[in-house]
Amino acid sequence: MRIKALILLLFLIISCPPKNNVAKILNEEQWMGIYLKQEKIGYSFSRLQKVKDYYKLINRIKINLKMMEQPEQVISNFSGTLHSDYTLKDFEFSFNSRNRIFSANGQIDNGRLNIEVNSGGAIKKTQLNANFPIYPSLILGTVAIKKKLPINKEQMIKVFDATTLSLIDAKIKFLGKEQITIVDKDYNLYKVEIEMLGLKTIVWLDENGISKKEVSPPGMVMIEETRDQALLQEESLGKIDILSLFSITVDTLISNPRAVKYLKVKFTDANLSDLIIADETQRIIQNQPLILEITTPERIPSNLTLPITEYRELLKPSLYVQSDDPAIKKTINKIIGQETNAVKITENIMKWVFTNIQKRATASLPSALDVLKNLEGDCNEHAVLFTALSRAAGIPCQICVGLVYVDGKFYYHAWNKVYLRKWIMVDPTFGQFPADATHIKLSEGELEEQAKVLNIVGKAKIKILEYH
């Protein structure tokens, strides 16, 4: 459980800037080895080709990891057409893991980015406003060199990220030139800082825009290698258990955390200013250092009947929460039956998801239809399917991401909140309605929000001040 966002993070921060000098890039390839905590976990392959008056960009990433001691392999493929200024024209993207394939394609036309997604055997379409220059996230280092930014001057650009299928703001800053040694070889390289979703990557590039080295949280390093070096022993990779990287140890042992109704904690060594923290169940007692108080409700309203007219935005479907799909509607109709009480319906949905989804660490981009089809997954799969079923039933629902206490540590976790005259936390992975007070919400929303949370997990220190 609790590892989906790290997979997302890995693909968000792995950017492989291709070459910037057209005379040198034609038909050339670039290979980079990917290392995490000094262990090789995979490789990245890129090619940028000049074709008439545009570019064709190809990128393939392959990663091998362990999740709860089980080996997992993830492969992503991106191909796109870029205008002569490196802005996006169209793209195709796929994300493959074990028995799951997620794919999407899109093109910009008349100021709109039209996206088509294939997940769980169903095709969904959406549009994004694209009435401004948009760059693929893979070439931000090259863009920084191309724009000839002044030293230490930041520039905000709009980026399309294929993993979240969203347009996000990226901040690029040229830090000047730096002498650096890479694998016993000295270079004088351009140094660029790239920040997306609060995550910073440092890239070292030569005068042609070729990336020689990249460093990102949490201890991720990419180094240019030959093809044979990049592929060397890649089938035997997967030594690192990803769950161990993202945990926060505390000095207080809670013997029965699932029964905790009140929790008071102090955060240090972490910037939580951009996160969505305060709500009806979680109160900020103090800033600098941050002290939070989390409580579970004394009672849940029991006489609430459908329909619920508030928070209509949280009744709508999305590309990953396909609450309007016939398969989702068919399932929720079976769960609901003749029941009209919103509280009982919520409890029935939670029980159905908890009972029917096999608990298994899964490397995928979680989609409700895909989860319904495979009936397995970790906390993210439980949360996304619960969201889709709840919205299909007419109950406003959102995904929450943050931390949960398990065996003396706080781990990354995803769960839900539903609106039943007030917001109630629900955890379909643990089978809890309401969820216990060791759930520390740090943000809410879909995939792009999860990366923001991971910017502090593994860095922050937490002290439990009080619980009962």
Side-chain angles (χ1 to χ4, degrees):
M1 300 181 292
R2 303 175 293 276
I3 42 72
K4 190 68 69 271
L6 181 52
I7 292 295
L8 170 66
L9 173 62
L10 295 181
F11 283 92
L12 276 172
I13 62 183
I14 294 173
S15 59
C16 190
K19 304 171 176 63
N20 191 33
N21 186 318
V22 175
K24 295 186 177 182
I25 65 173
L26 191 59
N27 295 322
E28 288 191 10
E29 302 174 348
Q30 185 183 28
W31 294 82
M32 299 189 83
I34 304 173
Y35 297 82
L36 183 60
K37 301 297 184 182
Q38 300 180 333
E39 292 282 353
K40 191 166 189 179
I41 62 169
Y43 69 84
S44 172
F45 160 76
S46 290
R47 178 190 292 131
L48 185 68
Q49 292 178 290
K50 180 74 171 178
V51 183
K52 296 181 180 179
D53 59 345
Y54 59 89
Y55 294 101
K56 290 296 293 184
L57 171 64
I58 297 174
N59 178 257
R60 174 183 173 87
I61 296 170
K62 187 173 183 179
I63 289 178
N64 294 282
L65 291 165
K66 276 202 244 178
M67 298 178 180
M68 299 178 68
E69 297 303 318
Q70 296 298 315
E72 286 284 349
Q73 185 178 90
V74 180
I75 301 172
S76 91
N77 290 286
F78 177 92
S79 64
T81 306
L82 313 182
H83 296 288
S84 59
D85 61 353
Y86 296 97
T87 55
L88 185 68
K89 181 180 180 182
D90 58 51
F91 77 93
E92 291 183 0
F93 173 73
S94 66
F95 189 99
N96 304 340
S97 60
R98 209 161 52 86
N99 61 341
R100 301 187 181 190
I101 300 176
F102 175 93
S103 63
N105 65 81
Q107 54 282 321
I108 295 178
D109 184 35
N110 293 323
R112 306 293 293 178
L113 175 55
N114 303 298
I115 300 175
E116 182 178 272
V117 174
N118 187 338
S119 177
I123 303 294
K124 300 294 179 182
K125 297 181 180 181
T126 191
Q127 284 188 336
L128 300 175
N129 178 31
N131 195 25
F132 37 74
I134 296 171
Y135 298 88
S137 60
L138 292 166
I139 63 165
L140 293 186
T142 300
V143 171
I145 299 297
K146 176 181 180 294
K147 287 181 175 290
K148 299 179 180 179
L149 299 179
I151 293 178
N152 290 324
K153 182 171 177 61
E154 298 176 350
Q155 180 165 341
M156 298 293 294
I157 62 175
K158 192 67 74 172
V159 170
F160 172 70
D161 179 70
T163 55
T164 61
L165 296 176
S166 62
L167 299 177
I168 59 179
D169 291 321
K171 183 165 56 180
I172 55 178
K173 182 195 296 185
F174 175 51
L175 302 178
K177 298 195 77 172
E178 182 175 271
Q179 295 284 340
I180 183 173
T181 301
I182 303 174
V183 193
D184 299 324
K185 188 175 181 179
D186 295 329
Y187 295 90
N188 185 26
L189 300 175
Y190 294 99
K191 186 177 181 181
V192 177
E193 179 185 272
I194 301 169
E195 182 175 346
M196 292 190 297
L197 300 175
L199 304 169
K200 291 183 180 180
T201 297
I202 303 296
V203 185
W204 288 266
L205 310 101
D206 68 13
E207 66 278 3
N208 295 315
I210 302 172
S211 174
K212 298 293 185 180
K213 182 177 180 179
E214 305 180 17
V215 177
S216 311
M220 173 83 71
V221 177
M222 294 180 62
I223 301 175
E224 184 183 43
E225 297 179 339
T226 66
R227 179 183 184 277
D228 290 342
Q229 288 171 333
L231 295 174
L232 184 64
Q233 297 178 332
E234 65 96 4
E235 291 300 334
S236 64
L237 300 175
K239 299 177 182 177
I240 295 181
D241 194 313
I242 204 168
L243 184 60
S244 66
L245 297 177
F246 284 85
S247 62
I248 302 173
T249 303
V250 292
D251 58 7
T252 301
L253 180 63
I254 301 177
S255 59
N256 186 11
R258 305 289 77 86
V260 172
K261 301 295 183 182
Y262 172 86
L263 180 71
K264 188 176 182 180
V265 294
K266 178 173 71 173
F267 276 83
T268 54
D269 296 346
N271 181 8
L272 284 69
S273 59
D274 293 332
L275 300 178
I276 306 170
I277 297 177
D279 60 23
E280 292 183 24
T281 62
Q282 188 164 281
R283 190 162 64 101
I284 298 176
I285 303 297
Q286 174 185 304
N287 288 291
Q288 298 179 350
L290 181 70
I291 296 180
L292 295 178
E293 187 179 64
I294 302 106
T295 57
T296 58
E298 292 294 329
R299 58 181 295 273
I300 299 174
S302 58
N303 60 346
L304 179 61
T305 58
L306 296 178
I308 298 174
T309 57
E310 298 93 336
Y311 297 100
R312 291 186 177 275
E313 285 296 315
L314 295 181
L315 293 173
K316 294 180 179 179
S318 72
L319 287 176
Y320 292 101
V321 181
Q322 306 97 333
S323 53
D324 59 342
D325 188 88
I328 297 291
K329 290 183 176 180
K330 181 179 179 181
T331 303
I332 193 59
N333 287 337
K334 290 181 179 178
I335 295 172
I336 290 177
Q338 301 300 312
E339 184 62 66
T340 59
N341 185 292
V343 176
K344 291 182 179 179
I345 290 172
T346 300
E347 185 173 16
N348 289 343
I349 296 171
M350 183 276 297
K351 289 180 178 178
W352 190 93
V353 173
F354 175 74
T355 302
N356 287 277
I357 305 303
Q358 180 183 353
K359 311 301 184 280
R360 188 186 190 283
T362 307
S364 69
L365 296 178
S367 132
L369 277 177
D370 188 68
V371 181
L372 185 61
K373 177 182 177 181
N374 290 281
L375 294 178
E376 67 174 19
D378 53 48
C379 61
N380 296 82
E381 277 75 22
H382 286 70
V384 75
L385 182 57
F386 180 88
T387 304
L389 292 170
S390 297
R391 291 183 183 182
I395 299 169
C397 184
Q398 183 61 287
I399 298 171
C400 298
V401 289
L403 303 167
V404 71
Y405 182 96
V406 177
D407 297 333
K409 297 181 179 180
F410 280 97
Y411 291 93
Y412 167 83
H413 192 52
W415 62 97
N416 299 90
K417 69 176 188 178
V418 294
Y419 185 75
L420 302 169
R421 288 210 183 99
K422 60 181 177 180
W423 288 107
I424 308 293
M425 297 295 176
V426 184
D427 191 333
T429 306
F430 292 163
Q432 291 187 306
F433 176 49
D436 68 76
T438 73
H439 290 68
I440 304 175
K441 190 197 75 169
L442 298 177
S443 195
E444 56 188 61
E446 297 188 33
L447 287 176
E448 61 269 25
E449 295 300 326
Q450 299 177 21
K452 296 178 183 179
V453 170
L454 283 170
N455 195 36
I456 67 103
V457 178
K459 294 181 182 179
K461 294 179 181 177
I462 297 178
K463 183 174 181 58
I464 295 176
L465 302 178
E466 184 180 350
Y467 75 91
H468 55 75

